[in-house]
Amino acid sequence: MVKVGTLLAATLLASAATSSAQTEGTTAAASAVANPAAWPALAMKRQRDPKVEARVDAMLRRMSVEDKVGQLIQVDIASITPKDLETYKLGSILNGGNSAPNNDEFAPAAEWLKLFDAFYDASVKRSDGRPVVPVIWGTDAVHGANNIVGATLFPHNIGLGAARDPELVRRIGAATAAETAATGIDWSFAPTVAVVQDDRWGRTYESYSEEPSVVASYAGAMVEGIQGRVGGDFMKPGHVISSVKHFLGDGGTGGRDQGDTRVSEATLRDVHAAGYMTALPAGALTVMPSFSSWNGAKLTGNKSLLTGVLKERWGFDGFTIGDWNAHGQVPGCTNEDCAAAINAGLDMFMYSGPKWKELYANTLREAKAGTISPVRLDDAVRRILRVKVLAGTFEAGRPSSRPTAGKFDLLGAPEHRALARAAVRESLVLLKNNGVLPIKAGANVLVAGAGADDIGQQAGGWSLTWQGTGVTNANFPNGQSIWGGLSEAVRASGGTATLSANGQFTAKPDVAIVVFGETPYAEFSGDRPTLEYSPDDKTNLELLRGLKKAGVPTVSVFLSGRPLWVNPELNASDAFVAAWLPGTEGGGVADVLVAGRDGKPKADFRGTLSFSWPKRLDQYVLNRRDAGYDPLFPFGYGLSYAKRGQVPQLDETRPANAGGDQNALFVRGRLASGVLLTTTGAVTQSRVDRLAQEDSVRLVFSGAGELTLQKAQPIDLSREANGQLSLILDYRVTQAPTGTVTLGMAGGRSATVPITGALRAAGGDWAQLAVPLRCFADGSVDMTKVTRPATIAVTGKLGIDVSGIRVASAPPGPVSCGSR
């Protein structure tokens, strides 16, 4: 028997930094200059090939400075056309989080391949006798080829970390590479090897573990899966270039994206760099420096780390690729001008925006003037050419002519789906089981919760769309929801299964399985002030308590991208499973929960926590090396049918000042924490129903008036504005506007955008309106001190129901700064 709070020594991996306290933010030395000699040397499996070096040198001698500068630039496909590459011989293109062929995030695989052909053809079109250097395409394939409809989506890294299975990770890397290569794309921005220490960070699910040893055990394996093994199938057809990210210290302290990790150099090395110690020796060809800072200095401009440690001390001979316009945050730089980043050791800019030609022109000017020295310029270009030679780019030819390109049957191939299903089984962590699991054969099972039949929610962020929002089950033709898997398994056992999202039933079931948790998010949108699950909406807790009151044994399947404070939900559940973000194979959940006719499930639970689970909602820095370590469930905890445990009644005390998500303003018709609502003029309010009782507000403007949401404390939305997020309104027009309607925001100054046209065109159904935050930023709002995040102003009559107002990623499709 295992009791909560008991550290299971047999399941713990040894830490490389047992003396490092993660509360260094107030005590660490302020220096942001690394001492490379204090870092260990790495034994690289891949050695320099004289033939490759000679070939690269020969090309370099024939290239003009214009050609060389072009190789230093990667541009988002939303900002460039294939025709541009006939003139500008850029090194690379990428599809950003919201970019896709024809501006269609659900474009079929053939359209991706077709577009790459067009970019490739333009890049190799030249008649001046100088070297032809094909363009390469980078993509965020972070849990499968997750931008492509029909691809297999594997559990996000946090779930894989719970599996403790490096060989599984290697196979997932290989499958991901094969599905990516089927579209012709030849470069994946993976793996993420962050060793997250502050779980408030919205990208925590991209981390394998809080423990450096777990991350180290996976990083090299994933690189070998993506690229192939050095001396074996390295960069053979079906493999793609990998990019280890983000160098260095993501998720360290502060809990904010693009944050500042304030730790000693020893902790930066021993904790945060653990993944690089295995990924680089495995032959990783590219490294992505971080948006974030170390002790106040931006990583993208930190020469001591990029050049001193990464390239000189470690001997990394691939190239570094910037993150999304991250170079523009280096002191003295803009998105269009940043010699400082190149001089620090950045080899290729990642750029998004309409002014990429200005970046090219400024970099060219600086190269010619010597601001970027000829030696540094040649070093960067040599690295890029070396990677392209090693990757077979010059011989591969047109993307559609490559051996595995166009084999779209690889997307969601049966063997890949089987691998993903096995990964789901291995990643599940059983936190509590008071005898209700496994579900007995022949049972009458109620399946409830909003996440039960929602593949998008179980897949999480970076699933077809950047934030994972705006998708339906139909967008995952090769996927299965958790409900789909449970239904099959229960029926196969001789039982009956009923889906009821709200948990209502007529005949009392033998057991209920409630699938709920975090809704999808990626960076910016995922940052949280505390680890309280859903502080502004307790619908799921009410559902669990309702079933408990009705005497129905209840199993919670919790979907989340991090460990969260769920003491009330745990108390209301007879069994509780941390399912993380399992991806498109929901049947893997059923394999472990439901017994077959022989009385046994297909598999037992084997996952163990790779992140410590909080006892209190303010334990967002909770790592087992910390002084005063006091988790609810420790690192390495995990029950099974063979290993039982007891969970007592848990403390549900919630501090009165616990904050919610700053980007949630008006949720299910209720004001979020710290938000005030005021009205002026001829406006009245009443409650109406949308999905639940009184979950929306009805506003009737009988004349000129305003409704304003005001924050008790100013909020900083500058990162969100730079990250292409929007102010989103969920609404239904009940009376068309007779005058003008604007949506506004204020911080210092105010700015408004017209939304009259959108409201007039909406009809009487529920709709969603998204106004990019840049519309307000361009209107002189100080986005670092937003006091009034939303104001609806009307000059005439208007009837409108509103169910939600929030800052989030816009749904797929065109967005603008308003319509008149």
Side-chain angles (χ1 to χ4, degrees):
M1 301 286 284
V2 180
K3 294 189 177 181
V4 177
T6 300
L7 197 61
L8 305 180
T11 66
L12 300 180
L13 295 176
S15 168
T18 54
S19 63
S20 297
Q22 296 309 298
T23 54
E24 290 185 81
T26 58
T27 61
S31 175
V33 178
N35 173 21
W39 296 64
L42 300 182
M44 301 295 194
K45 296 179 182 178
R46 177 177 56 77
Q47 302 297 317
R48 296 272 182 91
D49 183 337
K51 293 181 180 178
V52 171
E53 299 307 306
R55 182 177 178 184
V56 168
D57 287 342
M59 281 191 285
L60 199 59
R61 285 192 294 270
R62 295 171 52 215
M63 294 175 73
S64 68
V65 67
E66 289 82 3
D67 288 343
K68 293 176 181 178
V69 168
Q71 288 301 303
L72 270 56
I73 297 175
Q74 178 189 70
V75 178
D76 178 30
I77 61 172
S79 305
I80 194 171
T81 66
K83 184 72 175 176
D84 289 321
L85 292 192
E86 293 184 9
T87 302
Y88 295 88
K89 301 304 181 182
L90 304 186
S92 178
I93 55 172
L94 82 149
N95 60 287
N98 285 328
S99 304
N102 309 314
N103 196 34
D104 177 10
E105 291 176 295
F106 306 120
E111 289 298 310
W112 292 81
L113 183 56
K114 178 181 177 182
L115 183 59
F116 194 10
D117 271 350
F119 276 112
Y120 178 91
D121 291 346
S123 76
V124 299
K125 186 177 181 180
R126 68 185 313 165
S127 58
D128 54 16
R130 296 203 299 272
V132 171
V133 183
V135 70
I136 53 178
W137 183 326
T139 189
D140 282 281
V142 296
H143 67 132
N146 45 254
N147 295 290
I148 311 299
V149 172
T152 309
L153 301 194
F154 297 91
H156 268 295
N157 287 356
I158 192 168
L160 298 181
R164 305 290 206 283
D165 189 342
E167 182 56 33
L168 172 73
V169 167
R170 182 181 287 106
R171 293 171 62 202
I172 288 172
T176 298
E179 295 199 16
T180 301
T183 66
I185 294 175
D186 44 17
W187 182 8
S188 169
F189 300 139
T192 299
V193 297
V195 187
V196 173
Q197 304 293 283
D198 189 326
D199 301 343
R200 293 174 298 176
W201 187 41
R203 302 185 74 167
T204 296
Y205 63 79
E206 294 186 54
S207 172
Y208 296 117
S209 178
E210 70 188 36
E211 274 293 317
S213 55
V214 176
V215 177
S217 74
Y218 277 4
M222 181 59 84
V223 167
E224 289 184 341
I226 295 171
Q227 294 187 165
R229 297 189 183 190
V230 174
D233 58 350
F234 182 73
M235 293 313 303
K236 292 293 194 300
H239 289 288
V240 299
I241 299 165
S242 75
S243 189
V244 191
K245 64 182 187 184
H246 305 84
F247 186 83
L248 186 62
D250 288 28
T253 58
R256 287 172 61 81
D257 200 66
Q258 301 179 19
D260 185 7
T261 294
R262 292 191 171 268
V263 296
S264 67
E265 183 176 1
T267 296
L268 189 72
R269 177 196 65 209
D270 297 340
V271 175
H272 296 284
Y276 296 88
M277 305 294 187
T278 60
L280 298 183
L285 291 173
T286 70
V287 168
M288 185 180 293
S290 179
F291 251 122
S292 60
S293 303
W294 172 46
N295 290 341
K298 285 290 180 181
L299 271 301
T300 303
N302 193 313
K303 187 173 182 177
S304 69
L305 286 168
L306 294 182
T307 299
V309 173
L310 178 62
K311 294 180 177 180
E312 295 176 351
R313 178 61 173 168
W314 282 347
F316 172 66
D317 66 358
F319 70 86
T320 56
I321 169 67
D323 207 342
W324 188 265
N325 289 341
H327 58 274
Q329 297 183 7
V330 173
C333 291
T334 67
N335 289 352
E336 289 74 40
D337 190 357
C338 194
I342 298 296
N343 288 334
L346 186 70
D347 300 312
M348 184 182 285
F349 296 113
M350 180 189 290
Y351 182 90
S352 173
K355 299 179 180 179
W356 60 268
K357 292 180 183 178
E358 291 184 22
L359 176 62
Y360 174 86
N362 287 327
T363 308
L364 179 61
R365 171 179 51 79
E366 288 154 350
K368 288 182 174 180
T371 306
I372 299 171
S373 72
V375 172
R376 172 77 270 262
L377 178 64
D378 281 0
D379 175 59
V381 178
R382 179 178 286 107
R383 290 170 176 276
I384 294 166
L385 294 178
R386 179 184 294 126
V387 167
K388 289 185 176 184
V389 171
L390 291 171
T393 303
F394 293 91
E395 291 74 34
R398 203 166 188 248
S400 60
S401 71
R402 297 171 186 177
T404 59
K407 294 185 177 180
F408 301 135
D409 57 346
L410 288 172
L411 298 171
E415 61 270 26
H416 295 168
R417 292 191 63 181
L419 177 63
R421 187 162 179 157
V424 174
R425 290 195 296 266
E426 291 194 32
S427 68
L428 302 176
V429 180
L430 181 60
L431 300 182
K432 176 180 180 179
N433 184 18
N434 289 353
V436 67
L437 286 177
I439 306 298
K440 294 180 173 57
N444 174 18
V445 180
L446 175 71
V447 181
D453 195 28
D454 189 337
I455 299 176
Q457 184 172 353
Q458 71 192 44
W462 292 106
S463 299
L464 297 183
T465 66
W466 171 36
Q467 298 280 332
T469 55
V471 298
T472 68
N473 285 359
N475 300 131
F476 300 97
N478 293 323
Q480 183 182 46
S481 71
I482 293 173
W483 152 250
L486 290 170
S487 177
E488 282 186 1
V490 171
R491 285 187 283 107
S493 78
T496 58
T498 303
L499 178 65
S500 173
N502 62 11
Q504 295 182 354
F505 55 85
T506 51
K508 183 178 177 181
D510 296 322
V511 64
I513 301 174
V514 182
V515 186
F516 67 99
E518 292 189 293
T519 53
Y521 55 80
E523 56 260 57
F524 308 118
S525 295
D527 294 350
R528 297 286 182 264
T530 75
L531 293 186
E532 180 180 6
Y533 167 63
S534 193
D536 301 312
D537 181 3
K538 298 301 181 183
T539 303
N540 293 306
L541 179 57
E542 293 166 3
L543 170 57
L544 292 171
R545 286 174 173 170
L547 290 167
K548 189 176 188 70
K549 185 177 180 180
V552 179
T554 302
V555 178
S556 285
V557 176
F558 187 57
L559 304 172
S560 74
R562 57 194 142 200
L564 290 169
W565 185 75
V566 287
N567 285 15
E569 289 80 4
L570 277 159
N571 285 338
S573 306
D574 296 291
F576 199 98
V577 178
W580 313 111
L581 299 171
T584 49
E585 289 303 316
V589 176
D591 290 345
V592 184
L593 265 61
V594 180
R597 292 180 185 271
D598 62 356
K600 299 178 181 178
K602 291 183 178 179
D604 196 352
F605 288 92
R606 56 163 293 177
T608 58
L609 291 179
S610 60
F611 281 84
S612 304
W613 201 279
K615 181 181 292 186
R616 305 186 315 271
L617 58 83
D618 61 352
Q619 288 180 303
Y620 37 80
V621 177
L622 182 65
N623 308 293
R624 72 185 183 103
R625 295 172 309 282
D626 300 343
Y629 179 65
D630 184 29
L632 177 62
F633 303 114
F635 173 88
Y637 174 91
L639 304 177
S640 68
Y641 299 133
K643 182 179 63 181
R644 302 186 177 216
Q646 296 176 350
V647 178
Q649 189 74 8
L650 303 173
D651 183 7
E652 298 186 15
T653 303
R654 178 181 184 271
N657 61 349
D661 174 11
Q662 74 155 16
N663 292 342
L665 306 173
F666 191 66
V667 182
R668 293 181 180 268
R670 299 288 189 274
L671 290 170
S673 175
V675 179
L676 308 174
L677 183 151
T678 60
T679 59
T680 59
V683 56
T684 60
Q685 305 175 52
S686 59
R687 310 299 303 186
V688 293
D689 301 344
R690 182 183 181 184
L691 299 176
Q693 185 176 3
E694 296 187 350
D695 66 350
S696 304
V697 64
R698 172 157 293 173
L699 304 172
V700 177
F701 293 83
S702 55
E706 290 187 357
L707 177 143
T708 297
L709 299 183
Q710 183 169 341
K711 274 286 191 177
Q713 298 293 329
I715 57 175
D716 182 353
L717 294 176
S718 57
R719 300 172 308 130
E720 286 82 351
N722 181 57
Q724 299 184 329
L725 269 65
S726 299
L727 181 62
I728 294 181
L729 176 72
D730 294 307
Y731 71 98
R732 174 176 63 186
V733 174
T734 58
Q735 180 184 352
T738 61
T740 61
V741 186
T742 61
L743 186 61
M745 182 175 286
R749 298 182 181 180
S750 61
T752 63
V753 297
I755 62 172
T756 315
L759 298 188
R760 285 178 177 160
D765 295 328
W766 283 99
Q768 193 173 81
L769 183 149
V771 177
L773 293 184
R774 60 176 168 77
C775 302
F776 304 112
D778 293 346
S780 300
V781 172
D782 183 350
M783 301 304 287
T784 66
K785 298 177 181 178
V786 174
T787 53
R788 298 195 302 276
T791 295
I792 300 173
V794 179
T795 63
K797 295 182 178 181
L798 170 68
I800 184 172
D801 295 344
V802 178
S803 64
I805 304 175
R806 65 195 186 283
V807 172
S809 177
V815 294
S816 67
C817 288
S819 62
R820 299 182 185 279

